[in-house]
Amino acid sequence: MNTIRPDHEVIIIGAGPGGICAGAQLTTRGIEDFLILDRGDGFGGSWRDNHYPGLGVDVPGFCYQYSFRKNPDWSWMFPKGDEVLAYHREVAAEFELGARARFGVCVVREVWDERNGWWEVHTDGHGVITGRFVISAIGAYIHAKDDPGIDGLGDFRGEILRPDSWDHDYDLSGKRVAVIGTGASSVQISPSIAPVVQQLSVFQRTPVWCLPKPDMAMRPWMRRGLRIRGVGTSIAFATNVVVETVLRVVYQTPKALFRPGARAFDAVGRGVYRAYLRAIVKDKRTRTELAPSYGVLGKRPTLSNDYVPNFNRDNVELVTSAITTLTPHGIRTADGVERDVDAIVLATGYELFSDPESYHHGAVVGRGGFDLADFYNTQRLQAYQSVSVPGLPNRWMLVGPYSWIGTGWHELVEISSGHAVNVIDHARREGHQIAEVSQTAHERYHRKVREQGRTSRTTSAR
């Protein structure tokens, strides 16, 4: 037992949905000596940083909330961004997390202090803060990609807009705009700005599955129904059961049965989607280029009622020729065409938690110089229960390898933060200062995950 105390018992890195959840759970357990650090200016995480046109949730509101703080008053079945941000800030205020938070603090390095048995959290301009335990709640979207790898980015003289730093003072009315990318943010941004711009060019590298979104305004009687005890919980539970069943079919069905079934499922799915495109999109070439060649489970599908019909507008075009370079006034593609544009929306993605290259050397250094980035970039992503790694004592990540459960984000972070808080609480009550998953337990768990994922990996490789 070390009698010297660190600055805080627990340091939470990140003030998004995960950090708020961890803080609430620590508070509920009576663990009050914790500090939340975040590089932004308040609670909310991605919902604070992203505020682009059309922003919203792609799961129903009754699945996108904490189990300990239900919200029956969503305005829409699939809530909009500003309402989601307000919800998270309300939860943070109810648990009085603001008094235990420091904003505008960017964490650049975490180093395990072997002698003292705690973590040194190095910040950019705010010194070193020590904590016995660290909960990394940085989320799935670590950093927006500053450079999407397009030649000539620095040469363009027009406006550059990004989903995580949208300039609302820039008026898009009557402008020629290019949206690069067809992921979730592009699916929301493109149809939102199309009615006001002069010309919209959507640059597509890979077609995206964009399924109809069963969205609707939540009527007063619907909200009253969700206030009835157990109604919202039962609906969310039923949704989770359906998703869990589908996922179990994917990774637990024997390969001999799954392969032909998956091929048939993909073929039928692509056929149905092509029929949907024929019914919606007028131009034959456009609907052909919008059709994915991979199965619906090959990449997370998007939901929108506006994205596909958006290509029927006279001022919207789909561009599939590869971008070769940006020029001072526009975009040149491999077919030799140069399109002059006033603004470019870079919907080109983030450094994701699921990409080993997102973990940088020296950022997280544990026992005996163990470097998380070196481990992940050589051994690929793995973690016990998706939250802890041998060599990193007293540290948990709320969004780790194979942590996605297919439904609402809040269930995921409640499970992972609950794991961390349970261990911290147990260690405190038993008088232990160090808790670390054993190499044996980690390897046993990872073998189990690989075995269960063999079917989906084989199918994806095909």
Side-chain angles (χ1 to χ4, degrees), residues 12 20 24 38 71 115 127 144 206 274 330 388 407 409 417 423 449 455:
I12 300 171
I20 294 169
D38 196 281
N71 179 24
R115 182 174 64 87
T206 304
R274 286 194 294 269
S388 55
T407 54
W409 200 250
S417 61
V423 178
V449 170
T455 296

Side-chain angles (χ1 to χ4, degrees), residues 190-191 194-195 198-200 202 275-288 290 305-318:
S190 297
Q198 175 186 331
Q199 176 67 33
L200 178 65
V202 179
Y276 167 69
L277 292 175
R278 283 196 299 271
I280 300 297
V281 182
K282 299 175 183 178
D283 181 68
K284 182 178 179 180
R285 182 192 66 83
T286 300
R287 63 174 179 255
T288 299
L290 285 172
N305 295 325
D306 304 317
Y307 179 73
V308 171
N310 193 48
F311 291 99
N312 289 327
R313 299 182 63 94
D314 293 336
N315 67 328
V316 177
E317 66 168 339
L318 179 67

Side-chain angles (χ1 to χ4, degrees), residues 186-195 200 304 306-307 310 313:
S186 173
V187 165
Q188 295 181 338
I189 292 171
S190 297
S192 298
I193 65 175
L200 178 65
S304 174
D306 304 317
Y307 179 73
N310 193 48
R313 299 182 63 94

Side-chain angles (χ1 to χ4, degrees), residues 55-235:
L55 177 64
V57 181
D58 58 1
V59 297
F62 51 75
C63 287
Y64 203 81
Q65 56 188 346
Y66 301 113
S67 65
F68 54 83
R69 208 294 199 167
K70 298 291 188 181
N71 179 24
D73 293 320
W74 296 116
S75 298
W76 289 83
M77 178 72 75
F78 291 75
K80 310 306 180 186
D82 54 353
E83 197 170 14
V84 176
L85 175 61
Y87 166 76
H88 287 98
R89 291 188 166 175
E90 288 168 5
V91 175
E94 289 173 9
F95 284 88
E96 300 180 346
L97 300 182
R100 297 184 177 91
R102 289 175 60 185
F103 297 107
V105 178
C106 183
V107 173
V108 296
R109 197 164 187 243
E110 304 165 46
V111 180
W112 174 250
D113 184 335
E114 186 72 39
R115 182 174 64 87
N116 288 311
W118 62 51
W119 284 93
E120 294 180 345
V121 177
H122 297 245
T123 67
D124 184 5
H126 296 269
V128 177
I129 306 170
T130 57
R132 181 76 62 196
F133 306 98
V134 165
I135 298 176
S136 177
I138 60 175
Y141 308 104
I142 300 175
H143 295 287
K145 293 179 180 178
D146 291 330
D147 184 359
I150 302 174
D151 290 340
L153 180 62
D155 297 331
F156 181 64
R157 295 292 176 259
E159 184 77 10
I160 296 287
L161 296 167
R162 301 174 186 270
D164 67 323
S165 56
W166 196 272
D167 183 3
H168 292 275
D169 291 332
Y170 182 78
D171 187 4
L172 290 170
S173 300
K175 300 292 196 308
R176 299 163 299 176
V177 181
V179 176
I180 301 177
T182 55
S185 56
S186 173
V187 165
Q188 295 181 338
I189 292 171
S190 297
S192 298
I193 65 175
V196 301
V197 303
Q198 175 186 331
Q199 176 67 33
L200 178 65
S201 302
V202 179
F203 287 78
Q204 171 186 281
R205 182 173 60 180
T206 304
V208 63
W209 284 82
C210 186
L211 308 177
K213 189 174 187 177
D215 200 9
M216 66 184 76
M218 294 295 290
R219 306 301 181 189
W221 66 268
M222 297 177 179
R223 301 185 194 183
R224 288 194 297 269
L226 289 176
R227 290 192 185 95
I228 298 174
R229 183 181 180 87
V231 171
T233 300
S234 299
I235 296 174

Side-chain angles (χ1 to χ4, degrees), residues 246-255 258-259 297 402 444-462:
V246 172
L247 293 177
R248 287 187 179 274
V249 168
V250 169
Y251 69 75
Q252 290 186 343
T253 301
K255 286 187 291 183
F258 186 86
R259 286 182 178 180
L297 297 180
Y402 32 76
R444 183 171 59 245
Y445 184 81
H446 186 54
R447 283 195 301 270
K448 177 182 177 182
V449 170
R450 288 182 61 83
E451 179 63 30
Q452 291 184 336
R454 185 174 298 172
T455 296
S456 58
R457 287 200 309 276
T458 303
T459 304
S460 295
R462 178 181 62 79

Side-chain angles (χ1 to χ4, degrees), residues 238-356:
T239 303
N240 290 343
V241 167
V242 172
V243 173
E244 180 69 16
T245 300
V246 172
L247 293 177
R248 287 187 179 274
V249 168
V250 169
Y251 69 75
Q252 290 186 343
T253 301
K255 286 187 291 183
L257 297 176
F258 186 86
R259 286 182 178 180
R263 284 193 289 267
F265 177 82
D266 286 350
V268 171
R270 287 193 294 267
V272 171
Y273 192 65
R274 286 194 294 269
Y276 167 69
L277 292 175
R278 283 196 299 271
I280 300 297
V281 182
K282 299 175 183 178
D283 181 68
K284 182 178 179 180
R285 182 192 66 83
T286 300
R287 63 174 179 255
T288 299
E289 293 176 341
L290 285 172
S293 60
Y294 57 92
V296 67
L297 297 180
K299 184 180 179 182
R300 188 181 182 187
T302 59
L303 297 177
S304 174
N305 295 325
D306 304 317
Y307 179 73
V308 171
N310 193 48
F311 291 99
N312 289 327
R313 299 182 63 94
D314 293 336
N315 67 328
V316 177
E317 66 168 339
L318 179 67
V319 182
T320 58
S321 183
I323 296 173
T324 56
T325 187
L326 301 188
T327 68
H329 303 290
I331 300 175
R332 185 179 299 127
T333 49
D335 56 6
V337 176
E338 181 173 345
R339 291 170 175 82
D340 290 343
V341 297
D342 302 299
I344 296 175
V345 178
L346 290 178
T348 48
Y350 282 75
E351 294 181 3
L352 296 174
F353 80 101
S354 54
D355 298 330

